[in-house]
């Protein structure tokens, strides 16, 4: 059985905490009818650091527990975030990598609200979520990952950060 390095677990916990804290700190706009969740910018992290997928998913699930429909949001919202993170990590262009979170949230959230019978304005919600998610992803998330990629390349290569063997043990005496 392969052991998960402590650094990977710690990294996921930090990402989850950041997502959760940003969402709750900005709760009035994170859960409003015109949702503008700035923490969604973190969904771009898997583009440069695939190990952040677990963190954004857990952070999203924890934050969604405080929504108007906690059970459904935890299940479907977090699933949309998980799938968006996986797809984002597979795309090689930062601008194209922003499409999965925008499209998945735009499709899943309004459909969930509509099926729950809480909102008959499916098309209005679809347009609203698409626009707000696109603004967060393309004006904050993509520039954020491009900045990290440029300024902190060691995080992008992940070798030094996530290597299971400490650097001292890899050197031969």
């Amino acid at each position: 059985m392969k052991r998960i390095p402590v650094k990977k677990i710690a990294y996921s916990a930090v990402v989850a905490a950041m997502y959760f804290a940003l969402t709750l700190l900005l709760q009035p706009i994170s859960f409003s009818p015109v949702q503008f969740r700035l923490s969604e910018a973190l969904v771009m992290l898997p583009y440069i650091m695939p190990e952040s997928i677990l963190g954004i998913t857990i952070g999203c699930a924890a934050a969604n527990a405080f929504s108007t429909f906690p059970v459904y949001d935890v299940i479907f919202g977090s699933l949309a975030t998980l799938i968006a993170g996986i797809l984002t990590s597979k795309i090689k262009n930062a601008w194209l990598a922003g499409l999965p979170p925008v499209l998945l949230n735009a499709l899943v959230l309004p459909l969930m609200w509509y099926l729950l019978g809480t909102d008959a304005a499916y098309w209005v919600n679809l347009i609203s979520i698409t626009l707000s998610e696109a603004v967060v992803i393309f004006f904050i998330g993509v520039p954020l990952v491009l900045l990290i990629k440029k300024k902190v390349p060691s995080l992008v290569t992940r070798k030094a950060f996530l290597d299971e063997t400490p650097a001292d043990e890899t050197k031969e005496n």
Side-chain angles (χ1 to χ4, degrees):
M1 183 163 140
K2 186 176 180 182
R3 292 178 26 189
I4 301 172
V6 174
K7 287 182 183 180
K8 285 185 182 182
I9 295 168
Y11 181 76
S12 289
V14 168
V15 171
M18 288 185 340
Y19 189 104
F20 177 78
L22 268 172
T23 303
L24 290 190
L25 182 67
L26 301 169
Q27 192 168 9
I29 61 173
S30 296
F31 294 110
S32 64
V34 178
Q35 184 172 307
F36 197 77
R37 193 179 282 197
L38 293 177
S39 54
E40 278 292 300
L42 298 176
V43 177
M44 285 302 298
L45 287 176
Y47 167 70
I48 55 172
M49 298 173 275
E51 59 277 355
S52 65
I53 295 169
L54 181 61
I56 60 170
T57 304
I58 291 171
C60 180
N64 284 347
F66 292 87
S67 77
T68 308
F69 309 103
V71 173
Y72 299 103
D73 272 341
V74 166
I75 295 168
F76 297 109
S78 304
L79 186 59
T81 298
L82 172 64
I83 295 168
I86 292 168
L87 293 174
T88 297
S89 73
K90 305 292 183 200
I91 299 173
K92 302 299 180 203
N93 177 291
W95 297 100
L96 293 176
L99 290 176
V102 172
L103 296 175
L104 282 163
N105 278 298
L107 295 173
V108 171
L109 299 179
L111 182 60
M112 178 184 68
W113 298 328
Y114 180 76
L115 293 176
L116 288 172
T118 61
D119 198 342
Y122 174 78
W123 292 106
V124 171
N125 287 326
L126 182 120
I127 292 167
S128 170
I129 291 291
T130 303
L131 292 175
S132 66
E133 187 78 7
V135 167
V136 170
I137 294 296
F138 293 112
F139 288 95
I140 300 170
V142 172
L144 174 68
V145 295
L146 292 175
L147 181 68
I148 292 170
K149 191 174 179 180
K150 181 178 180 181
K151 298 290 184 184
V152 194
S154 62
L155 280 181
V156 178
T157 61
R158 294 180 299 280
K159 180 151 177 60
F161 181 74
L162 294 172
D163 193 3
E164 292 184 43
T165 310
D168 295 347
E169 293 178 22
T170 59
K171 295 178 184 175
E172 290 186 280
N173 294 330

